[in-house]
Amino acid sequence: MVTLPLPVLRRLPTYLLLLTEDRAAGRDYVSSTDWAGRLGATPIQVRKDLAWTGAVGTPKKGFAVTDLETKIRECLGTDARRDVFLVGTGALGRCLAGHPSLGRHGFSVVATFDPAGRCAAGADPSVLPWEKLPELARRMGISVAILAVEPSLAQKTAERLAAAGIRSLWNLTGQTLALPPAVAVLEEDWGARLATLITQTAG
Amino acid sequence: MVTLPLPVLRRLPTYLLLLTEDRAAGRDYVSSTDWAGRLGATPIQVRKDLAWTGAVGTPKKGFAVTDLETKIRECLGTDARRDVFLVGTGALGRCLAGHPSLGRHGFSVVATFDPAGRCAAGADPSVLPWEKLPELARRMGISVAILAVEPSLAQKTAERLAAAGIRSLWNLTGQTLALPPAVAVLEEDWGARLATLITQTAG
DNA sequence: TAGATTGTTAATCGATTAACAATC
DNA sequence: TAGATTGTTAATCGATTAACAATC
């Protein structure tokens, strides 16, 4: 399968949400014209995007809801469930890792680790010892982790995750990471996100 | 001032972080070559981006740290402090709204509202009555809000915020919003975000 | 059939990259 | 001066948009 352009990839999840609405409304077919209207986009763009997924529509009717959903999910890799590690025990990490939206997209947090290593009495028993991670990652075939440790530990922890075979890292620490290109990192910096939103309006 | 291209805008916050590192290291000048090396980007791109901010470098030395920081912050609108409303009282909203990163980018959450309207006994006194929002927004000149209510209330709450003069909305509900184009909305869907990260690697 | 919608091919637009002269 | 780095102009690349034939 050809790899889709990143802009297309980013729009697919939105289409998935529209699809859910349409299915809830009892529709069997959806049209690019209709979606474009709802999204404020052009029908051409919607159709071009859907073409990337391999979905084929029928003139006058549109795209079959069930087929389209399968196709989009295949592209997003959410046809199979994805098991994920949570690394760090802060409130933010727990909030995001436990968010229902992750489940909806096929993700499941199977274990939590704490590199800060509070293994003293009273420690949360659901948090696994940090040393166990490489072994478990290998045995369970985990390649995705949510990094939510405190900033000062970010780089070092990330390196050890990379060494443990983690290939996709959702970096919530706000600390820029330097990792080998084999590891895909999604950096989150909340203030920066909000800042770019503002400038869109101001401009 | 000309509005910068969105891709450039999105890279600016990263430059700001590098700048902080460099300042901490006691440097007075930074070069595009150096930054490109650290970011895995090209010097040309860095220079082109910085050109948008209006910063002027000196050959052989690079860009003056203090000047560059001013210029970038001006573009990001973080030269002035930005007051923000938090709407909704869930854990996620509190985590993100209270995140130090927001402060670093010049944001300040000045009031919290709860449209779910738990004004019964025992209610949190730091949460203001929802009815007061339009009046306060006007008096304080607030145009930015973080929307963190439960999904079922999202659309209706957003509409009332728009009516109250909110022009930038950070939508953490995971619910797609339909609002007039005058309101800039940054939609967050955590599962979708994680999903696009994965496909980057898989592809 | 008529009309709406798809899918494809070409044109436009914008961002990134390259080349190179200017300069401290 | 020599060499590193900037800034500008041109070339490339990719994504979006437009035009239109195909089809149910």
Side-chain angles (χ1 to χ4, degrees), chain B residues 11-71:
Chain B
R11 286 191 290 267
L12 289 187
T14 312
Y15 296 146
L16 217 43
L17 293 180
L18 288 179
L19 213 40
T20 313
E21 286 176 28
D22 286 331
R23 216 184 9 174
R27 283 190 210 122
D28 288 331
Y29 283 83
V30 296
S31 82
S32 61
T33 329
D34 179 50
W35 275 12
R38 286 200 262 161
L39 289 171
T42 70
I44 302 115
Q45 185 175 64
V46 174
R47 241 176 303 144
K48 210 81 198 258
D49 287 348
L50 297 185
W52 278 103
T53 69
V56 176
T58 58
K60 179 146 178 166
K61 292 171 85 178
F63 297 80
V65 167
T66 50
D67 173 61
L68 192 50
E69 182 160 4
T70 311
K71 289 297 200 321

Side-chain angles (χ1 to χ4, degrees), chain A residues 75 101 168 188-189 193 199, chain B residues 75 101 168 188-189 193 199 201:
Chain A
C75 289
S101 166
S168 302
E188 293 287 10
D189 181 344
R193 246 176 124 60
T199 11
Chain B
C75 288
S101 166
S168 302
E188 293 288 8
D189 180 343
R193 246 177 124 59
T199 11
T201 350

Side-chain angles (χ1 to χ4, degrees), chain A residues 112-124:
Chain A
T112 304
F113 298 88
D114 183 10
R118 305 183 196 96
C119 48
D124 185 342

Side-chain angles (χ1 to χ4, degrees), chain A residues 148-166:
Chain A
V149 298
E150 55 174 300
S152 60
L153 293 173
Q155 177 64 34
K156 203 174 142 198
T157 309
E159 285 166 12
R160 299 185 66 177
L161 288 173
I166 297 299

Side-chain angles (χ1 to χ4, degrees), chain B:
Chain B
M1 198 226 297
V2 193
T3 67
L4 323 206
L6 206 56
V8 175
L9 207 55
R10 276 199 269 256
R11 286 191 290 267
L12 289 187
T14 312
Y15 296 146
L16 217 43
L17 293 180
L18 288 179
L19 213 40
T20 313
E21 286 176 28
D22 286 331
R23 216 184 9 174
R27 283 190 210 122
D28 288 331
Y29 283 83
V30 296
S31 82
S32 61
T33 329
D34 179 50
W35 275 12
R38 286 200 262 161
L39 289 171
T42 70
I44 302 115
Q45 185 175 64
V46 174
R47 241 176 303 144
K48 210 81 198 258
D49 287 348
L50 297 185
W52 278 103
T53 69
V56 176
T58 58
K60 179 146 178 166
K61 292 171 85 178
F63 297 80
V65 167
T66 50
D67 173 61
L68 192 50
E69 182 160 4
T70 311
K71 289 297 200 321
I72 294 180
R73 282 192 190 281
E74 271 170 17
C75 288
L76 285 173
T78 35
D79 50 335
R81 294 205 69 81
R82 298 268 176 183
D83 291 339
V84 173
F85 281 165
L86 170 63
V87 181
T89 55
L92 180 59
R94 286 194 187 272
C95 272
L96 289 180
H99 199 280
S101 166
L102 266 63
R104 248 180 266 133
H105 284 269
F107 294 102
S108 169
V109 177
V110 293
T112 304
F113 298 88
D114 183 12
R118 305 185 197 92
C119 48
D124 184 343
S126 75
V127 176
L128 304 180
W130 171 233
E131 309 80 47
K132 290 270 174 68
L133 190 141
E135 160 77 3
L136 265 173
R138 198 178 50 72
R139 283 220 326 259
M140 304 176 77
I142 308 284
S143 65
V144 184
I146 303 175
L147 183 64
V149 298
E150 54 173 303
S152 61
L153 292 174
Q155 176 64 33
K156 203 176 143 197
T157 309
E159 284 167 13
R160 299 184 66 177
L161 289 174
I166 297 299
R167 287 295 161 262
S168 302
L169 197 55
W170 193 15
N171 177 20
L172 308 178
T173 67
Q175 195 72 21
T176 320
L177 300 177
L179 290 177
V183 183
V185 181
L186 179 59
E187 309 271 0
E188 293 288 8
D189 180 343
W190 313 113
R193 246 177 124 59
L194 196 46
T196 54
L197 168 65
I198 307 306
T199 11
Q200 280 175 41
T201 350

Side-chain angles (χ1 to χ4, degrees), chain A residues 113-133:
Chain A
F113 298 88
D114 183 10
R118 305 183 196 96
C119 48
D124 185 342
S126 75
V127 177
L128 304 179
W130 171 232
E131 310 78 47
K132 291 269 174 69
L133 189 142

